[in-house]
Amino acid sequence: MQINIGDKVRFLNDIGGGTVTKIIDANTVMVLNDEDEFEIPSIKKNLVVVEAAGGEQANQQQTTHITSESSTVKPSAQNLFVEKEEVYVAFAPREGYNPTESPQELYLINDTNHILLYGFYDKKGNKMEGQTAGNLDPKSKILLNEYDLKELNELSSCFFQILFYKPGESDIKKPLERNIKIQPVKFYKSTSYKDTPYFQQNVILHKLTGEDLEHKLEELSQKEFKKVIREKESANKSSKPQINVKGKEEIIEVDLHINSLIDSVTGLSNADILEFQLNKFHEIMRQHQNSKGKRIVFIHGIGNGTLKKKVHDELRRKYKKHYQQDASFKEYGWGATMVTIR
């Protein structure tokens, strides 16, 4: 459920209600109790919004019509995309938060003239779980889920099943099945967030209609997968991690998130994953150890901090002659370390 500061809420499992004064995390808010004027932390699922901030009556289905007065869409863009018949999903940071540090709200956007019947699943590690299902009116958007920073680092893909329905005479549209592979590093880069006609804040937008976005992930047994890892580690020259060279400054950007290094973690323990990530880190350091002045950004994310700590430990233990610092906070938040080769 989307709950904002200033919303008037009622308690589902208690008497009374109050006003939301603070967003604590993706699942919890602070409520100023109407009866005793004390602030109490409350789980979102135990609340119902009775009046939105600003005095608007709450929409119990949490659906926002793109063309309505209560829409979050900018007025200049209300009539866009009518003829394109597109469906999108968007990761939207909370308003007022730094996007690279904010929990993310996942929305489904129906910019078509059809009613959507949808099912949404997400995948964390090897586990695909159904999250929600329902229908969405034309020219509307709906909140599907919320993710805190730890959950974003664990999220590997989002899967959608969609049927199109239009009453009366209508062309039949083919159903959609789309799997979006999630790259956690994007949530920590300010350049990932773009202006759209659907939100006041910049968001990460994915298009579901049109070209098939499904990514087929190989399912390997533990024995097969570890064999692949051994082959990759023994062929450093042919096995390249995801590296971007940024402009004239030639800053090398290396994403150490496991989803950016390999397609599947089937059969791997947390220790195996960490070992694989550190092997990639050492590979890059060895490759550039004689490139004096070269700057390398290692993107490790925040999560529980294990990978970041291990990278810093290795820098102090094996590469102490090189200079290390936090990478650009604007681009990565606290999720990356920059190394300058000396």
Side-chain angles (χ1 to χ4, degrees):
M1 178 190 299
Q2 184 182 17
I3 296 180
N4 300 308
I5 294 174
D7 287 351
K8 293 186 180 301
V9 296
R10 285 283 179 265
F11 303 120
L12 291 177
N13 53 5
D14 202 350
I15 298 173
T19 304
V20 176
T21 59
K22 181 181 179 182
I23 306 296
I24 297 176
D25 56 35
N27 302 308
T28 316
V29 297
M30 189 71 75
V31 176
L32 180 64
N33 196 317
D34 288 338
E35 294 184 359
D36 55 22
E37 296 189 349
F38 281 100
E39 287 187 322
I40 54 174
S42 302
I43 304 297
K44 284 185 177 182
K45 65 182 181 181
N46 294 333
L47 302 173
V48 60
V49 178
V50 295
E51 186 176 324
E56 298 175 354
Q57 293 299 312
N59 184 331
Q60 296 299 323
Q61 292 184 339
Q62 291 295 307
T63 301
T64 306
H65 289 273
I66 290 174
T67 55
S68 70
E69 292 181 1
S70 62
S71 171
T72 58
V73 178
K74 299 175 182 178
S76 61
Q78 286 184 4
N79 60 352
L80 293 180
F81 306 114
V82 172
E83 75 286 356
K84 290 189 177 181
E85 291 285 297
E86 305 288 14
V87 179
Y88 303 88
V89 292
F91 283 95
R94 289 218 184 100
E95 291 189 51
Y97 280 68
N98 181 337
T100 61
E101 295 182 298
S102 172
Q104 298 287 327
E105 298 174 338
L106 179 63
Y107 286 87
L108 177 64
I109 302 167
N110 179 14
D111 201 354
T112 77
N113 292 313
H114 291 72
I115 297 170
L116 302 188
L117 287 78
Y118 64 88
F120 165 58
Y121 305 76
D122 67 15
K123 186 175 183 181
K124 300 183 184 76
N126 300 319
K127 193 174 183 181
M128 182 76 79
E129 292 187 345
Q131 297 297 327
T132 187
N135 57 70
L136 181 58
D137 289 338
K139 302 301 172 189
S140 301
K141 67 174 185 272
I142 189 169
L143 178 66
L144 297 179
N145 209 351
E146 296 176 276
Y147 298 95
D148 60 29
L149 295 177
K150 182 177 184 297
E151 290 171 327
L152 289 173
N153 281 323
E154 296 171 349
L155 187 65
S156 58
S157 65
C158 293
F159 183 78
F160 301 87
Q161 292 178 314
I162 296 176
L163 292 173
F164 297 86
Y165 171 75
K166 189 175 183 180
E169 184 177 350
S170 175
D171 293 332
I172 303 300
K173 294 176 71 70
K174 291 183 178 180
L176 282 179
E177 285 194 357
R178 293 291 184 263
N179 189 63
I180 297 178
K181 188 174 181 180
I182 303 301
Q183 296 179 321
V185 63
K186 288 188 176 181
F187 297 113
Y188 301 102
K189 299 181 66 175
S190 59
T191 52
S192 300
Y193 298 86
K194 308 296 183 183
D195 184 33
T196 74
Y198 306 111
F199 297 88
Q200 291 181 342
Q201 73 272 39
N202 290 352
V203 301
I204 299 176
L205 193 69
H206 296 274
K207 183 179 174 183
L208 297 185
T209 43
E211 184 181 356
D212 189 352
L213 300 177
E214 183 173 1
H215 298 278
K216 295 182 179 179
L217 300 177
E218 295 182 81
E219 294 296 330
L220 302 175
S221 68
Q222 181 174 2
K223 182 177 178 181
E224 291 171 328
F225 196 83
K226 290 190 175 182
K227 180 181 177 182
V228 171
I229 289 181
R230 288 195 298 270
E231 289 174 353
K232 288 185 176 183
E233 290 176 339
S234 64
N236 287 331
K237 292 183 180 180
S238 60
S239 177
K240 300 292 184 183
Q242 191 170 356
I243 300 175
N244 297 320
V245 178
K246 304 182 67 176
K248 296 181 180 179
E249 297 181 351
E250 295 188 348
I251 297 177
I252 297 176
E253 185 180 274
V254 182
D255 188 357
L256 293 178
H257 285 94
I258 194 64
N259 296 324
S260 297
L261 300 177
I262 50 181
D263 289 332
S264 172
V265 294
T266 301
L268 289 183
S269 66
N270 289 338
D272 294 331
I273 291 172
L274 182 59
E275 181 181 0
F276 190 83
Q277 292 169 312
L278 290 176
N279 286 343
K280 286 300 180 185
F281 163 75
H282 288 298
E283 177 185 327
I284 296 300
M285 290 300 295
R286 288 193 299 269
Q287 182 180 342
H288 297 283
Q289 61 184 343
N290 296 321
S291 303
K292 188 174 182 180
K294 181 71 70 178
R295 288 183 289 174
I296 309 169
V297 172
F298 290 101
I299 302 166
H300 42 63
I302 300 175
N304 59 17
T306 301
L307 178 58
K308 177 179 179 179
K309 183 178 184 303
K310 287 291 185 182
V311 167
H312 286 189
D313 288 345
E314 292 300 291
L315 285 169
R316 286 189 291 267
R317 188 169 67 90
K318 287 190 174 182
Y319 309 102
K320 56 185 177 183
K321 75 172 185 177
H322 305 306
Y323 179 69
Q324 71 174 82
Q325 65 186 94
D326 290 332
S328 168
F329 183 82
K330 181 179 179 182
E331 287 197 51
Y332 307 100
W334 300 110
T337 298
M338 185 165 72
V339 177
T340 303
I341 303 297
R342 289 180 172 176

